[in-house]
Amino acid sequence: MSATDLTHLGFIVDGNRRWAKERGLPTLEGHRRGVKKVEEVIEALKNTEVKFITFFLFSTENWNRSPEEVKYLMALVRENLPRMARKIQAENGRFVILGRPENVEPSLWQELMQLEADTEDNSGPTVGICFNYGGQWEIADAATKAIASGEKELTPETFAKYVYHPEIPPCDMIVRTSGEERISGFMLWRAAYAELLFLDKYFPGINKDDCEEIIKEFHSRQRRFGK
């Protein structure tokens, strides 16, 4: 891996509800299509230079949505992530969850942790799912762990040992769909030098060609890292 590689690609999954509304479909159908699209994006990037793909699926703020929508989203996670993880495992990939157990039904969280454990020894690409994730919470949780571990003086290098799944490298590029131009707390620690790309397309509408264009766009950028 080098500074010129697109090693870690992050997706802020956005626009599911608007995609459905524009097509006269129920809002919840947009979420279903969005989760399905995650699998298609993983497949499209399977034989590329990308070794880590992270998707922002559910934030710590999303609990404020309607009870009906939250219940549906939890059902989608329970129904789809195990199948997704098994497919990743069959291809020697790793499946990891980045987020907090708070507010998540314990049985669901335990299932996700087991899926993660089942793939931890695999050597293929890593698929990260940000579920009940908040960038500020990740930093706060890391600070709490650092204090509990007896750290007396933190540097960026030592602090990085305490973020969720510290083996996952910084993001090289973060893509947000739907035309919105903000990162909404996604990967705050790992986004320090990430290239940002805002697509004017809802997440359920992206395809393999878009994935290829994302990689091309990354390689058209000049990364300086402060130099």
Side-chain angles (χ1 to χ4, degrees):
M1 296 185 292
S2 73
T4 59
D5 291 332
L6 177 48
T7 301
H8 184 186
L9 177 60
F11 283 92
I12 301 174
V13 174
D14 194 23
N16 294 340
R17 294 183 294 182
R18 281 168 283 171
W19 180 89
K21 184 178 179 181
E22 287 186 5
R23 287 157 179 78
L25 298 170
T27 296
L28 301 182
E29 176 63 13
H31 290 309
R32 191 186 72 80
R33 298 289 183 94
V35 171
K36 180 66 177 174
K37 187 60 66 171
V38 167
E39 297 183 62
E40 293 178 22
V41 169
I42 293 170
E43 184 67 23
L45 293 169
K46 187 167 63 175
N47 295 313
T48 68
E49 68 198 88
V50 180
K51 303 305 178 189
F52 297 85
I53 317 166
T54 306
F55 298 90
F56 198 2
L57 290 191
F58 189 88
S59 76
T60 49
E61 291 73 39
N62 287 155
W63 295 106
N64 296 321
R65 294 186 176 183
S66 72
E68 178 192 21
E69 186 173 359
V70 169
K71 181 179 179 180
Y72 185 78
L73 287 167
M74 293 301 108
L76 277 179
V77 168
R78 191 183 289 277
E79 177 186 346
N80 290 278
L81 290 195
R83 185 187 69 253
M84 191 184 301
R86 286 192 291 271
K87 184 174 181 181
I88 292 167
Q89 182 179 24
E91 297 177 352
N92 196 36
R94 292 184 64 227
F95 172 86
V96 301
I97 296 291
L98 300 98
R100 317 185 83 231
E102 285 76 8
N103 298 320
V104 179
E105 185 181 335
S107 64
L108 173 56
W109 189 261
Q110 290 168 9
E111 183 177 3
L112 294 175
M113 292 301 96
Q114 185 59 54
L115 292 168
E116 186 177 277
D118 290 343
T119 69
E120 65 183 356
D121 294 327
N122 292 349
S123 59
T126 296
V127 175
I129 302 295
C130 287
F131 175 66
N132 196 29
Y133 173 90
Q136 291 176 324
W137 269 116
E138 179 177 20
I139 291 171
D141 286 342
T144 300
K145 291 176 186 175
I147 292 168
S149 296
E151 295 284 359
K152 301 298 183 184
E153 183 176 344
L154 286 173
T155 65
E157 290 73 25
T158 56
F159 186 84
K161 295 188 299 183
Y162 299 99
V163 297
Y164 305 149
H165 283 284
E167 75 279 7
I168 296 177
C171 290
D172 295 302
M173 175 169 270
I174 293 173
V175 178
R176 183 178 187 136
T177 53
S178 86
E180 303 290 351
E181 297 184 357
R182 56 181 179 272
I183 62 172
S184 299
F186 178 67
M187 297 274 104
L188 290 182
W189 182 258
R190 292 179 174 89
Y193 281 99
E195 296 295 320
L196 304 179
L197 178 61
F198 302 106
L199 295 183
D200 191 19
K201 178 179 280 194
Y202 301 134
F203 189 76
I206 69 171
N207 53 41
K208 184 176 181 179
D209 289 342
D210 293 315
C211 292
E212 293 174 357
E213 288 301 317
I214 287 167
I215 294 173
K216 289 179 183 177
E217 175 61 26
F218 174 80
H219 287 292
S220 75
R221 306 281 182 97
Q222 195 168 37
R223 306 185 78 194
R224 299 185 184 277
F225 298 97
K227 297 177 182 178

